[in-house]
Amino acid sequence: MATEAQAQWVLTATGRSPTNIAVIKYWGKRDEALILPVNDSISVTLDPDHLSATTTVAASPAFPSDRMWLNGKEIALSGGRFQNCLREIRKRARDVEDEKKGIKIKKEDWEKLHVHIASYNNFLTAAGLASSAAGFACLVFTLGKLMNVNEDYGELSNSKGSGSACRSIYGGFVKWCMGKNDDGSDSMAVQLVDESHWDDLVIIIAVVSLKQKETSSTSGMRDTVETSPLLQYRAQTVVPGRILKMEEAIKKRDFESFARLTCADSNQFHAVCLDTSPPIFYMNDTSHRIISLVEKWNHSEGTPQVAYTFDAGPNAVLIARNRKTATLLLQRLLYCFPPQENDLDSYMVGDKSILSDAGVQSVADIEALPQPPEMKTPNQKFKGDVSYFICSRPGAGPKVLTDESHTLIDSATGLAKGV
Amino acid sequence: MATEAQAQWVLTATGRSPTNIAVIKYWGKRDEALILPVNDSISVTLDPDHLSATTTVAASPAFPSDRMWLNGKEIALSGGRFQNCLREIRKRARDVEDEKKGIKIKKEDWEKLHVHIASYNNFLTAAGLASSAAGFACLVFTLGKLMNVNEDYGELSNSKGSGSACRSIYGGFVKWCMGKNDDGSDSMAVQLVDESHWDDLVIIIAVVSLKQKETSSTSGMRDTVETSPLLQYRAQTVVPGRILKMEEAIKKRDFESFARLTCADSNQFHAVCLDTSPPIFYMNDTSHRIISLVEKWNHSEGTPQVAYTFDAGPNAVLIARNRKTATLLLQRLLYCFPPQENDLDSYMVGDKSILSDAGVQSVADIEALPQPPEMKTPNQKFKGDVSYFICSRPGAGPKVLTDESHTLIDSATGLAKGV
């Protein structure tokens, strides 16, 4: 491999992976090292136009070590998660030949080749927005492309650095099966339906706080497994039934069942966090207010219009039945949580067209919104408690980006661009 | 009974009952009408000098109906709880003779005699401070005295209008046994140890909010029983073991075990509230901050100095190992939660002498408190988030107040005094 001519080449691949939000939650590992969960989980993949990670991986015989840049900043690769990922993918690597560039890499060469990785999120790495899921999914996907790994995505998702990352390997609704084998070989993601199956759902995320979360989900779920008396009961007795019902609800597009299960499972996940010693609080008063707002509205309508779910942070992920209910929801959210700054444009990101659907063109329009009829207490307004909203929808899985403009690594220097 | 002369008399009795705070929580009834719980619970009785209810009950043939005044305001007696209480006590009533006043009441006369009740709390009826426990305990106790009921307190506590009230019938540490019989005849309170057994404990209550709680505990626990998948597991599998360990910890004055069990059970109670549909939130961000403060300090000391427990509201009940740890705790609390107003006297009620033990004579002294070493982030101060503190200790059970000055009903008019 290491001829003089070849020493100069840099081979790159670029991919984009979506993030996902669990509607039946993953919380707790049965095997820490292999990242095997204590129960199945189900998630919805978010439109990568709104929330995704883009990653370029580069290999070159000129690289003396593995290196990584995240959002333009170099980070240490000493952590076990990245190294495990790399090792697993290297094991599955196959021959690669790029005739144009005159590159020939044999299967066994990959063990000796170092990689450079540059990754970028198109959303702020906010607490609990599953940024690591998108990031790790993208890393695995793009390394797999670079190294010509010929495996189905489900098994590929097995070589993961973040548990929930494996659910970002598909679009639509995805189930991560916990598996039974000790070696984790049957713990993998399967797609339940693709993103076109239930395409009238609209997802609004209320970003409640940009503070770093206090408890990382990795250490938090370890503490829960070790100390919560309720977790095993949840994992073994409650979740299996919910998984079956959720699969059914998704297949039938039964929003009522979907919403009830989603809300109940989010609350139960936070309940086992609270049952941990010391207790873990991810939701705050603003999260509680958003839940109350949704519960009151759903109750007044007689049937659920919106489901809520919260990951390991205070941000609310709200899934509306359709575009119409999403606009009604947005009016309620904006009424209660008007922006701190007089800047509507940065207060709604993603699909901004929902604003005009809701009849809101300016901050003055927000101030003029009438009190929703189901709210009994007047002027329940909490300006500044929400940082901004994201409007999205169920979306597609990872894809390769072939356009050179997306490449995050300079193939001349082998370094992250613009650093 | 109804001679002309007798028609004028008013017979009164006055009693005072403490409130109690559960350290192993009661949440959920197995029988709504009989108020039978789904699990045993254990509480500590608070010193009635600081937190108690005083009740005068009066009977007279001149009263055309039952009436009640709470904190000086007449309230409707139509609710089932009061009527059940009255009916149960009337059933157990016996002959009463007051030679001085020339009153003679036969057992069977009590069914026809109406009563007037005046009750008063020596603390604000704050959300989640178990005011109804003290109130109902006092009502049952004082009615029992008036009607010469000859039963042991445990069985008397059976005729209750509020579940946790039965634990206020004794001082010290009290266990409410759930019982097995369908008629609730074996569901009663027993004293584990009296208030002198573990008298170095100091209790500091942080009153976080005076807003009325949103979810009453009666409807809240009904919703939990009906919708929480985790409650039955808690009641049947987790609590029985904790009850045994808690009894042991109390008997041995083993503060470490006591504190771990108390905190874990408070958190699990709030976890099943969260697992309810719709979810119930009693704790708020201030409650969470107090928990973090205690957990961090306990962790830094290597062994628990303070236990926390929260009832159906945001107020923190903090149980310190002894006077010394209580003063250290108070310094930490005052550092994080300085008073809004420049009025120290109303910011600490109950045993105010703890302030001078903590070296605090003025609001300026609070501002001068150094940051506790275990707090890593500087200036974590939340002025105004705590309304006031109460300092108390484990205390005695109910007692009869014979001094006329305590009587809340005017024996001439039969009406509440000062109304």
Side-chain angles (χ1 to χ4, degrees):
Chain A
M1 169 181 95
T3 70
E4 285 296 309
Q6 276 181 325
Q8 303 313 307
W9 59 257
V10 176
L11 185 68
T12 67
T14 301
R16 188 178 75 167
S17 287
T19 187
N20 71 79
I21 299 290
V23 291
I24 298 292
K25 300 292 188 192
Y26 151 54
W27 194 252
K29 299 182 181 73
R30 63 185 169 95
D31 187 304
E32 284 278 334
L34 298 172
I35 314 187
L36 304 177
V38 293
N39 56 252
D40 295 349
S41 55
I42 293 177
S43 63
V44 56
T45 298
L46 299 191
D47 189 335
D49 283 347
H50 306 136
L51 294 160
S52 60
T54 300
T55 300
T56 297
V57 288
S60 170
F63 296 165
S65 66
D66 297 328
R67 291 174 74 181
M68 177 162 181
W69 293 262
L70 182 61
N71 294 329
K73 212 176 136 183
E74 183 156 12
I75 59 166
L77 264 183
S78 48
R81 292 165 149 225
F82 283 96
Q83 294 301 342
N84 286 347
C85 251
L86 278 169
R87 191 172 51 243
E88 286 296 316
I89 307 281
R90 277 188 176 115
K91 266 198 267 181
R92 293 169 161 86
R94 297 188 308 164
D95 294 358
V96 169
E97 185 163 0
D98 187 323
E99 290 198 359
K100 224 169 63 185
K101 292 191 182 170
I103 303 170
K104 237 178 159 170
I105 307 170
K106 304 289 279 178
K107 187 175 158 49
E108 55 274 18
D109 293 337
W110 285 111
E111 295 284 342
K112 293 164 270 167
L113 274 174
H114 286 289
V115 294
H116 285 185
I117 303 160
S119 193
Y120 167 81
N121 296 333
N122 68 347
F123 56 100
L124 294 168
T125 306
L129 271 183
S131 53
S132 69
F136 273 106
C138 204
L139 179 64
V140 169
F141 174 80
T142 315
L143 280 171
K145 290 295 167 191
L146 180 79
M147 300 187 184
N148 194 22
V149 172
N150 181 27
E151 281 180 291
D152 68 71
Y153 286 170
E155 208 173 319
L156 191 63
S157 74
N158 213 266
S159 6
K160 55 196 169 291
S162 158
S164 51
C166 73
R167 294 185 316 236
S168 274
I169 217 86
Y170 296 110
F173 284 89
V174 183
K175 175 177 163 184
W176 177 15
C177 306
M178 63 179 288
K180 286 173 184 163
N181 301 346
D182 285 343
D183 65 356
S185 54
D186 56 347
S187 175
M188 59 179 69
V190 293
Q191 187 179 50
L192 298 176
V193 294
D194 73 17
E195 61 275 18
S196 65
H197 170 75
W198 200 352
D199 63 359
D200 42 0
L201 296 178
V202 176
I203 298 169
I204 293 178
I205 300 171
V207 178
V208 166
S209 160
L210 289 174
K211 283 184 284 187
Q212 278 298 111
K213 56 190 172 188
E214 284 201 32
T215 308
S216 85
S217 52
T218 303
S219 71
M221 67 175 79
R222 188 166 49 222
D223 290 347
T224 303
V225 169
E226 284 170 8
T227 65
S228 166
L230 301 178
L231 178 72
Q232 292 303 330
Y233 182 77
R234 159 174 165 73
Q236 288 161 19
T237 309
V238 182
V239 173
R242 286 185 175 170
I243 289 282
L244 293 174
K245 285 180 191 155
M246 183 58 93
E247 288 191 55
E248 193 71 11
I250 291 167
K251 269 167 201 155
K252 290 181 174 168
R253 292 184 286 261
D254 169 0
F255 188 80
E256 182 170 341
S257 302
F258 171 78
R260 291 194 200 283
L261 287 163
T262 298
C263 299
D265 207 64
S266 172
N267 291 328
Q268 188 168 91
F269 150 51
H270 292 279
V272 298
C273 288
L274 190 43
D275 190 46
T276 302
S277 178
I280 304 166
F281 313 109
Y282 287 123
M283 295 198 289
N284 64 18
D285 286 351
T286 307
S287 316
H288 293 174
R289 281 192 191 106
I290 294 172
I291 289 181
S292 295
L293 179 156
V294 172
E295 289 283 359
K296 262 183 203 156
W297 185 37
N298 282 345
H299 182 77
S300 75
E301 294 286 330
T303 178
Q305 304 301 304
V306 179
Y308 55 81
T309 189
F310 295 73
D311 273 359
N315 305 323
V317 177
L318 303 160
I319 308 175
R321 188 185 271 271
N322 54 42
R323 186 81 179 179
K324 183 155 181 292
T325 56
T327 59
L328 292 169
L329 168 67
L330 184 62
Q331 287 170 343
R332 282 162 169 81
L333 290 168
L334 292 173
Y335 174 84
C336 290
F337 303 100
Q340 183 80 274
E341 308 293 330
N342 197 25
D343 175 11
L344 190 58
D345 192 58
S346 64
Y347 203 54
M348 173 58 76
V349 304
D351 176 5
K352 288 172 189 282
S353 68
I354 186 93
L355 276 177
S356 48
D357 286 16
V360 172
Q361 315 278 356
S362 67
V363 173
D365 289 341
I366 293 179
E367 280 157 12
L369 283 169
Q371 178 171 314
E374 76 277 8
M375 287 187 199
K376 299 287 177 264
T377 325
N379 285 312
Q380 289 281 32
K381 297 194 177 195
F382 302 91
K383 186 181 275 191
D385 285 1
V386 168
S387 299
Y388 61 95
F389 293 100
I390 305 168
C391 183
S392 189
R393 67 179 86 86
K399 66 174 182 180
V400 173
L401 301 177
T402 48
D403 189 317
E404 263 301 310
S405 68
H406 294 296
T407 307
L408 299 173
I409 289 179
D410 187 328
S411 55
T413 63
L415 302 177
K417 282 182 183 174
V419 177
Chain B
M1 165 183 102
T3 68
E4 286 293 309
Q6 277 182 324
Q8 302 312 309
W9 60 256
V10 175
L11 185 69
T12 67
T14 301
R16 188 178 74 166
S17 288
T19 188
N20 71 78
I21 298 291
V23 291
I24 298 292
K25 300 294 188 192
Y26 152 54
W27 195 253
K29 299 181 180 73
R30 62 186 169 94
D31 188 305
E32 284 278 333
L34 297 172
I35 313 187
L36 304 176
V38 293
N39 56 252
D40 295 348
S41 55
I42 292 177
S43 62
V44 57
T45 298
L46 300 190
D47 189 334
D49 284 346
H50 306 136
L51 294 160
S52 60
T54 300
T55 301
T56 297
V57 288
S60 170
F63 296 165
S65 65
D66 298 328
R67 291 174 73 181
M68 177 161 182
W69 293 263
L70 182 61
N71 295 327
K73 214 176 135 182
E74 184 157 11
I75 60 166
L77 263 183
S78 49
R81 292 164 149 226
F82 283 97
Q83 295 300 343
N84 286 348
C85 252
L86 279 169
R87 192 172 52 243
E88 287 295 317
I89 308 280
R90 278 189 176 115
K91 266 198 269 179
R92 293 169 160 88
R94 297 187 307 163
D95 294 358
V96 169
E97 185 164 359
D98 186 323
E99 289 198 0
K100 223 169 61 187
K101 293 189 183 172
I103 303 169
K104 235 179 160 169
I105 307 170
K106 304 288 281 180
K107 186 175 159 51
E108 55 274 19
D109 292 338
W110 285 110
E111 295 285 342
K112 291 164 269 166
L113 274 173
H114 285 290
V115 294
H116 284 184
I117 303 159
S119 192
Y120 167 80
N121 296 332
N122 69 347
F123 56 100
L124 294 169
T125 306
L129 272 184
S131 51
S132 69
F136 273 106
C138 204
L139 179 63
V140 169
F141 174 79
T142 315
L143 279 171
K145 291 294 167 193
L146 180 80
M147 300 187 183
N148 193 23
V149 172
N150 182 25
E151 282 181 290
D152 68 67
Y153 287 168
E155 208 172 318
L156 191 64
S157 74
N158 213 265
S159 5
K160 56 196 169 292
S162 157
S164 50
C166 73
R167 293 185 316 235
S168 274
I169 216 84
Y170 296 111
F173 283 89
V174 182
K175 175 178 164 184
W176 176 16
C177 306
M178 61 178 289
K180 285 175 183 161
N181 302 345
D182 284 343
D183 65 357
S185 54
D186 57 346
S187 175
M188 59 178 69
V190 292
Q191 187 179 50
L192 297 177
V193 293
D194 73 16
E195 60 274 20
S196 66
H197 169 76
W198 201 352
D199 62 359
D200 44 0
L201 297 178
V202 176
I203 299 170
I204 294 178
I205 301 172
V207 178
V208 166
S209 162
L210 289 174
K211 284 183 284 186
Q212 280 295 113
K213 58 190 170 190
E214 284 202 32
T215 308
S216 85
S217 51
T218 303
S219 71
M221 68 175 77
R222 188 166 49 224
D223 290 348
T224 303
V225 169
E226 285 170 8
T227 66
S228 166
L230 301 179
L231 177 73
Q232 292 303 330
Y233 182 77
R234 158 174 167 73
Q236 288 162 21
T237 308
V238 182
V239 174
R242 286 187 175 170
I243 288 281
L244 293 175
K245 285 181 191 154
M246 182 60 91
E247 288 191 54
E248 193 71 12
I250 290 167
K251 269 166 201 157
K252 289 183 176 166
R253 293 184 283 262
D254 169 1
F255 189 80
E256 181 169 341
S257 303
F258 172 79
R260 291 193 201 285
L261 287 163
T262 298
C263 298
D265 207 66
S266 173
N267 291 328
Q268 189 170 88
F269 150 51
H270 292 279
V272 297
C273 288
L274 190 44
D275 189 46
T276 302
S277 177
I280 304 166
F281 314 108
Y282 287 124
M283 296 197 290
N284 63 20
D285 286 351
T286 307
S287 317
H288 294 174
R289 281 192 191 106
I290 294 173
I291 289 181
S292 296
L293 179 156
V294 171
E295 289 284 1
K296 260 182 204 157
W297 186 36
N298 282 345
H299 182 76
S300 75
E301 294 286 329
T303 177
Q305 305 302 303
V306 179
Y308 56 80
T309 188
F310 295 73
D311 273 358
N315 305 322
V317 178
L318 303 160
I319 307 175
R321 187 185 272 271
N322 54 41
R323 186 82 179 177
K324 181 154 183 292
T325 56
T327 59
L328 293 169
L329 168 66
L330 184 62
Q331 287 170 342
R332 283 162 169 81
L333 290 168
L334 291 173
Y335 173 84
C336 289
F337 303 100
Q340 183 80 271
E341 308 292 330
N342 196 25
D343 176 11
L344 190 57
D345 192 57
S346 65
Y347 202 54
M348 172 57 76
V349 302
D351 176 5
K352 289 172 187 284
S353 69
I354 186 94
L355 277 176
S356 49
D357 286 17
V360 172
Q361 315 279 358
S362 67
V363 173
D365 289 341
I366 293 179
E367 281 157 10
L369 284 169
Q371 176 169 316
E374 75 277 8
M375 287 186 198
K376 299 286 178 268
T377 325
N379 285 312
Q380 288 280 30
K381 297 193 178 196
F382 302 91
K383 186 181 275 191
D385 284 2
V386 168
S387 300
Y388 61 96
F389 293 100
I390 305 169
C391 182
S392 187
R393 67 179 85 86
K399 65 172 182 180
V400 173
L401 301 178
T402 47
D403 189 318
E404 263 301 310
S405 68
H406 293 299
T407 307
L408 300 173
I409 289 180
D410 186 328
S411 55
T413 63
L415 301 177
K417 282 182 185 174
V419 178

